[in-house]
DNA sequence: ATTGCGGTTTTTGCCC
DNA sequence: GGGCAAAAACCGCAAT
C-alpha cells in the first residue's frame, strides 16, 4: 500500500493539482481540435472523390515506412558510435 | 462496386492526393506532439507525488460531466424542435 | 515471436476449441436476440408517436449519468486507497 | 418541422415513456451481461493458450459462412416460389 | 516480460 | 446510400 502522496489537501498542493488538471485539459482540447481538423480534411477529400479508407491506408503505410527508416538511422548511429565515428 | 475514384493518375489528381496526405501527416505530427506534452505533464506530476491513475480518473470524470451537459443541451434542443418551438 | 499456442491439432485441444467457439456463438445469438427485442420496442414506440431520436438521446444521457456516478465511486475508492484507508 | 408527437406531457404519455425507457434499459443491461460473459470466455481461452485474435477471426468467418448459407437458402426459396414449387 | 487497462481507430449496423 | 451511433479491434502505456 502506498503512503499518502499529497498530504496538503486544500493547500498549496490543491493549487498545484488544479494547475495540472487544467494544463492537461487545455492540451486535450488542442488535441481534439487537431483531430477535428484531420476529420475535416478526410471529409473534404471524400467530397472530391477520394476514398477515405484508402487514404488512411496510405497514411498508415507511410508512417510504418518512416518508422522503419528511423530504426535504420538509429541502428546506423549505434554502429558509428561503436566504431568511434562520432 | 465503385468506379475508380480518381482517374488522372500522375496528373493533377496526384498532386491533390499528395497535398491531402501531407496536410494530414502534418496534423498527425502536431497531434502526437501534444500527446507527448500531456505525457510529460503526467510524468512531472508523478515526480512531485501525484498519482497518475487518480489524475486520469479526475480528467475522465470531468470530461464526462462536460459531455453530459452538452447532451442535456442537445436533448433540450430536440424537445424544442419536436414541439415546433424552433 | 510466439510458439504455436496449441500443438495438439485434432486432439483434445481441438475439442476444447470447438467448445469455446460454440459457447461464444451461442451467447452471440442471445445477444442478437436481445438487440432485436430492443429494436422492436423502438419501433413500437415510434408507432405510437414517440420520436426514436429523442428516446435514444434520453437513454444515452441516463447511461452517462450512471457512468458518472460509478466513476465518482471509483475515484473515491482510489483516494481512500491512496490515503491508506484501505 | 414535425408536429408535437406527444401532447400529454406528464400524463399517461409520460407513464408510457417511462415504461419504454425502462424496458429498453433493462434489455441493454441484459445485453451487456452477455457481452461480459463473452469477454470472460475469451479471457479464459487466452489463459489456456488460445489466441483471442484468431478465435475472433474464426467466429467472424463462420458467421459470414452462415449468412451466405442463409442467403443461399433465401435465394433457393425465391426460385422455388417463382417456379411454383412452394 | 507480460498482462491488464485506457484511448483511439476502424468496422459494423441502423435509420433515414 | 450516406451519415450517425454502437461495437469491436488495435495499440501503447503502465504497473507488477
Amino acid at each position: 500500500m502506498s503512503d499518502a502522496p499529497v498530504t496538503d489537501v486544500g493547500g498549496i498542493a490543491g493549487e498545484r493539482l488544479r494547475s495540472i488538471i487544467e494544463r492537461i485539459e487545455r492540451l486535450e482540447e488542442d488535441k481534439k481540435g487537431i483531430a477535428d481538423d484531420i476529420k475535416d480534411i478526410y471529409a473534404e477529400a471524400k467530397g472530391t472523390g477520394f476514398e477515405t479508407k484508402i487514404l488512411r491506408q496510405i497514411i498508415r503505410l507511410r508512417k510504418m515506412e518512416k518508422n522503419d527508416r528511423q530504426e535504420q538511422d538509429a541502428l546506423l548511429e549505434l554502429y558509428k558510435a561503436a566504431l568511434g565515428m562520432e
Side-chain angles (χ1 to χ4, degrees), chain A residues 1-85:
Chain A
M1 198 52 50
S2 78
D3 296 318
V6 178
T7 53
D8 194 352
V9 176
I12 187 66
E15 205 42 57
R16 290 204 45 255
L17 175 58
R18 159 181 292 273
S19 162
I20 290 164
I21 298 291
E22 286 176 357
R23 277 197 289 157
I24 292 172
E25 285 179 342
R26 181 72 179 78
L27 288 170
E28 291 283 5
E29 271 177 48
D30 293 347
K31 189 150 74 86
K32 174 138 194 1
I34 294 177
D36 288 342
D37 290 345
I38 293 172
K39 271 208 317 192
D40 288 345
I41 297 182
Y42 277 118
E44 175 205 325
K46 182 173 190 173
T48 55
F50 291 98
E51 290 185 32
T52 303
K53 204 170 175 178
I54 306 294
L55 292 179
R56 289 186 189 278
Q57 279 179 355
I58 294 172
I59 301 279
R60 214 179 322 147
L61 186 60
R62 282 166 59 102
K63 190 176 178 183
M64 286 174 62
E65 284 166 353
K66 190 179 151 207
N67 288 344
D68 284 351
R69 248 175 291 126
Q70 286 176 348
E71 281 182 27
Q72 291 281 359
D73 291 347
L75 192 57
L76 182 58
E77 289 309 307
L78 206 61
Y79 282 146
K80 283 161 70 176
L83 296 170
M85 297 173 63

